[in-house]
Structures are given as structure tokens and as C-alpha cells.
Amino acid sequence: MYTQGLDQKGQANVSEIESPEQLAAFQARIDAEEKIEAKDWMPAAYRRTLIRQISQHAHSEIIGMQPEGNWLTRAPSLQRKAILLAKVQDEAGHGLYLYSAAETLGVSRDEMVQGLLDGKAKYSSIFNYPTLNWADIGAIGWLVDGAAIMNQIPLCRCSYGPYARAMIRVCKEESFHQRQGFDIMHKLCNGTDDQKAMAQDALNRWWWPSLMMFGPGDADSKHSAQSMAWKIKRFSNDELRQKFVDVTVPQAEFLGLRVPDDALVLDEESGHYRFGEIDWQEFHDVLAGNGPCNAQRMERRRSAHDDNAWVRDAARAYADKQSAKAVA
Amino acid sequence: MSKDRAEWPLYEVFIRSKSGLSHRHAGSVHAADDQMALDNARDTYTRRMEGVSLWVVRSDRIIASDPTETSAFFEPAEDKIYRHPTFYDVPEGVENL
């Protein structure tokens, strides 16, 4: 998911000339629900917005492997290990689908990865929280992937074809992720008192960061209007957050867990849950690099890149040697 | 330093989901060589039995029509509506036509 609209400053100067006619014709295609494809004409700002959003999304999938990877060797049974391994592999796959979608816009994967390694590109705030016990893996699948699905389903109808197609593939797989998370929570909640307490503890820590995944409130989300007009976004941050709360609270009740929000109440008239104020200071702190695990996540990502450089070099050398042989 | 080296080439991936159907574009992968492109495509795009056959082809080897020339390129077919069976009136009472 992870399209929080994080680094929106610095709209570069528009160098090429975009005539009002071109812009109007483009908007007309969007309004007619036509998909924009890679080689089609598009405004520079549309291209920039997509590159930023899709690459952030890809980075989030890749960094998102870390909190769960932490439990691969410690999952409580061989089957749980196998399932978690499959999920973490899916996250890598999602990152690759998304990098490949972004590449159609004329940016190379190496450039995007370098942006992440240099700390210039952002990724979702949620992955800067630690996974302290096994229940956290349940909470991530249930809440974090649940929030991701809420955000990603509308992206399957995004106006940019390659992004929309990648999202269809991602959404099919996320559904497994969410259910495996709920399954972990369900087992814990039907276990011993200690196990149920673990599940409650994980919900307590992951609930609010999950709500923050939808990004700033609509009043503070400056670029949303343009993204909506371009049909990159279909629903506002607050609308999606509300949907997530509405479907998730009854699931928590089913599990017999308490959502950690004293202000949470069902508004009978509208059918929506009203919930308490999000701590936006925490959100901005985590985005600014001051979350519990920001430094650790980046350090791990950089060392993985550097430590495995020899593999890339060796593969390249082998390919060069084979093609030299073929020519000879 | 690998940072200074050129990026692995890009390959487009096509999957036949079951025999009887044609291969369909799925996305792309980077790979150092053809065999790695096939392996990466399998790991990236067919983790759930999505295919029984894979094609990979270097992206720079694909010849594509130019989107800015789309109308001129496809226009010759536009006014030949007599190529469609619906162009013809079938008289009342005639069947199996």
C-alpha cells in the first residue's frame, strides 16, 4: 500500500511546453475513463506524481519484508514458517511488480533503489515499528495488510494502465496475507490467557500506526485533489480510513479484543464508527526518520545491497563471458 | 563497484495460463542473461501456478507501433465496415445465414 503521499515538496519546474489543448485532451481521456499507457502523451506532473507514488509503494513492499523476516526462523511451527516465508516472498514480488510499473514511466530501477539507499525516497511509516512477538505477525497481516487492501483495491482502477494492472495482481495476493494474519490472531485468542494477552498487546501497538497508513487527514492532504482529478486516487485518505475502521472493529469484537480507543463508538444513524484523534505528531516524527526502527531498517537495506553486490557482479561477468563465447 | 555498472537488461514476460490459451503480457523483470530472465519471471509471476509456459524477450528487441501515430496507423481499417457481418441486412425469413 503505502501510498501516503510522503514527499510532495519540490514540484520541479515544467520544462517542456504543455499547451492548454494537450492538457484538456488528456483530462478528457481521463474523464472518459480511458487508461493511459506507457508511451502515451501525459503531463510532466502526472508522470512525476506516478513515479513518486509507485516507487514509494515499491520501496514500502521491500522494506516491509524486514519486520516479518524477523520472525521467519521463530515462527511456532514448520507450517507457520513456510506460510510466512511465502508471504515475505510475495512482498518481494510486489516490490518487483511495482518497480517494473514505474519503469514504464522512464525511470530505471537502479535510480529508484539508489533514491531509497540515499534516504531521498520515502516508504510507508508503518514499517518503522518493531515486531516484538509472534502476535505482531498476526496483527501485521490482519491490520497492516487489511489497510493496504483498502487502499489498493481502488488503485486497481487507477488511470495509469501499468500501475492498475500491477495492483490487480497485488490485491489477489494480499487477500491471503490478511487471512493468514487473522488466522494467527484467531488461534491466539482461542488459546491460553497469556496467548490472548499477546494478541491484545499486538493490537494495542499496531492499531494507531495502521490508521496512520492512510496518510494525513483530507484537510492536510494538499495534492489529493489533483490526484483525484487524474483518477490516480479514487477515494480520499479519510474516506478510506473510515472504511477500514468500519470493517475492522467488528472483526476485533469477534476475536474478543478491545480496540485501544476510548472514543470509539458506533454512530447508529450513519452506521459508521466514530474514532478518536490520531496522534499526528507521532506520524510526522516517524516520517521524519525518528520512528523506533527507521535507522535499523535503512541500515539493513543498505547492508543487504552492499553485501550482495558480488552476486550481481558475478552474474554480470558470467553473462558477459557467455555472450563473448557465443560471438566467437 | 556494481553501482557504476550498467543495470541488468530488462525483459518482458509473457505467460500462457493453460494450454489452449495464448501467451499474455504479465510485466517485466531484470536479469543478467536469458536463463536468469526465465527463472526470475517464474519466481516473480508464477508463484501460484499462473502459467504452464513462459516467454521472456529483451524489452529493447520489441518493435512497437508509435502511439502518436495511432490514428494514422489504424485508420485504413476504420471505413471498411463492410468487413463486419452486421453491415449486411438479412432479409426477413432467411435463416442460418
Side-chain angles (χ1 to χ4, degrees):
Chain A
M1 102 150 276
Y2 326 132
T3 49
Q4 289 174 320
L6 305 177
D7 51 8
Q8 301 193 318
K9 53 182 176 281
Q11 295 280 319
N13 51 326
V14 179
S15 50
E16 74 248 55
I17 310 291
E18 292 175 351
S19 71
E21 292 77 21
Q22 273 179 312
L23 292 170
F26 179 79
Q27 190 60 48
R29 291 190 65 193
I30 300 273
D31 293 342
E33 295 288 336
E34 270 185 50
K35 294 287 182 207
I36 307 303
E37 293 295 341
K39 300 272 164 60
D40 293 354
W41 186 87
M42 63 187 84
Y46 178 83
R47 185 185 301 275
R48 266 202 313 275
T49 300
L50 280 169
I51 290 176
R52 189 191 63 230
Q53 177 168 332
I54 302 173
S55 61
Q56 279 178 4
H57 193 160
H59 298 326
S60 301
E61 300 283 356
I62 299 299
I63 297 288
M65 297 165 75
Q66 292 186 36
E68 294 183 290
N70 188 33
W71 282 87
L72 281 174
T73 57
R74 288 178 266 177
S77 70
L78 185 58
Q79 190 185 41
R80 293 278 183 202
K81 286 182 174 69
I83 292 172
L84 188 58
L85 192 59
K87 181 176 189 289
V88 173
Q89 191 191 18
D90 275 354
E91 306 297 359
H94 296 177
L96 293 175
Y97 305 155
L98 288 160
Y99 282 129
S100 108
E103 280 184 295
T104 64
L105 292 158
V107 59
S108 79
R109 190 173 76 189
D110 278 1
E111 278 175 75
M112 290 185 270
V113 169
Q114 201 54 51
L116 176 68
L117 297 176
D118 291 344
K120 288 185 202 136
K122 306 262 186 195
Y123 57 87
S124 178
S125 56
I126 194 77
F127 301 117
N128 293 312
Y129 292 88
T131 42
L132 303 178
N133 71 48
W134 172 247
D136 289 34
I137 300 304
I140 287 182
W142 173 39
L143 300 173
V144 175
D145 290 298
I149 291 174
M150 205 54 86
N151 196 48
Q152 287 172 168
I153 295 270
L155 287 173
C156 296
R157 294 189 294 126
C158 161
S159 60
Y160 187 58
Y163 192 25
R165 292 192 288 274
M167 292 321 301
I168 290 170
R169 200 173 276 280
V170 168
C171 283
K172 279 186 192 161
E173 300 180 356
E174 290 287 4
S175 184
F176 140 58
H177 298 177
Q178 191 188 17
R179 287 187 186 189
Q180 68 87 33
F182 190 81
D183 181 64
I184 291 171
M185 296 301 269
H186 191 213
K187 286 282 186 323
L188 289 170
C189 290
N190 286 289
T192 63
D193 287 349
D194 281 349
Q195 286 169 332
K196 189 162 183 183
M198 274 170 68
Q200 181 65 57
D201 166 60
L203 173 59
N204 292 348
R205 284 180 291 108
W206 289 93
W207 175 255
W208 290 104
S210 297
L211 295 193
M212 293 175 198
M213 285 175 68
F214 295 93
D218 294 350
D220 300 312
S221 186
K222 301 186 269 300
H223 295 270
S224 278
Q226 182 60 75
S227 282
M228 299 274 263
W230 278 332
K231 301 197 176 174
I232 294 171
K233 247 178 127 132
R234 297 275 176 169
F235 298 98
S236 76
N237 294 353
D238 284 336
E239 282 173 317
L240 291 168
R241 190 167 11 245
Q242 182 66 55
K243 273 194 195 189
F244 174 73
V245 172
D246 288 343
V247 304
T248 309
V249 170
Q251 293 167 358
E253 283 168 1
F254 175 87
L255 292 172
L257 297 177
R258 182 187 168 276
V259 173
D261 179 357
D262 291 333
L264 187 76
V265 61
L266 178 62
D267 176 10
E268 299 279 358
E269 210 165 296
S270 66
H272 293 302
Y273 284 92
R274 301 287 159 228
F275 51 94
E277 186 65 25
I278 289 170
D279 181 356
W280 291 113
Q281 191 55 48
E282 176 182 326
F283 173 71
H284 291 296
D285 285 348
V286 175
L287 276 192
N290 303 319
C293 300
N294 294 60
Q296 183 189 335
R297 300 291 185 239
M298 285 311 300
E299 160 59 26
R300 181 81 197 87
R301 183 68 192 84
R302 289 191 187 107
S303 65
H305 189 79
D306 294 342
D307 295 350
N308 294 306
W310 70 271
V311 178
R312 296 191 294 278
D313 290 343
R316 191 63 192 232
Y318 178 76
D320 289 348
K321 193 170 150 191
Q322 293 302 313
S323 60
K325 260 191 205 164
V327 169
Chain B
M1 277 299 291
S2 62
K3 204 187 281 186
D4 305 317
R5 307 199 58 165
E7 194 164 13
W8 285 352
L10 192 65
Y11 287 76
E12 298 301 318
V13 178
F14 299 82
I15 303 173
R16 186 202 296 283
S17 55
K18 58 179 187 183
S19 56
L21 298 177
S22 47
H23 286 76
R24 198 171 161 187
H25 186 242
S28 55
V29 291
H30 284 277
D33 58 38
D34 295 352
Q35 184 57 48
M36 190 195 282
L38 268 182
D39 294 343
N40 287 355
R42 178 201 58 192
D43 293 344
T44 309
Y45 292 102
T46 63
R47 289 192 303 282
R48 290 176 173 76
M49 298 298 297
E50 286 96 337
V52 295
S53 165
L54 269 179
W55 287 349
V56 291
V57 58
R58 282 275 296 258
S59 306
D60 57 11
R61 301 279 168 80
I62 289 184
I63 319 295
S65 63
D66 180 351
T68 61
E69 301 288 329
T70 296
S71 44
F73 192 70
F74 293 103
E75 186 263 343
E78 205 169 59
D79 58 356
K80 296 178 182 60
I81 50 171
Y82 44 79
R83 280 185 165 143
H84 297 279
T86 47
F87 175 75
Y88 302 93
D89 290 327
V90 176
E92 197 82 22
V94 176
E95 285 176 10
N96 303 318
L97 191 69

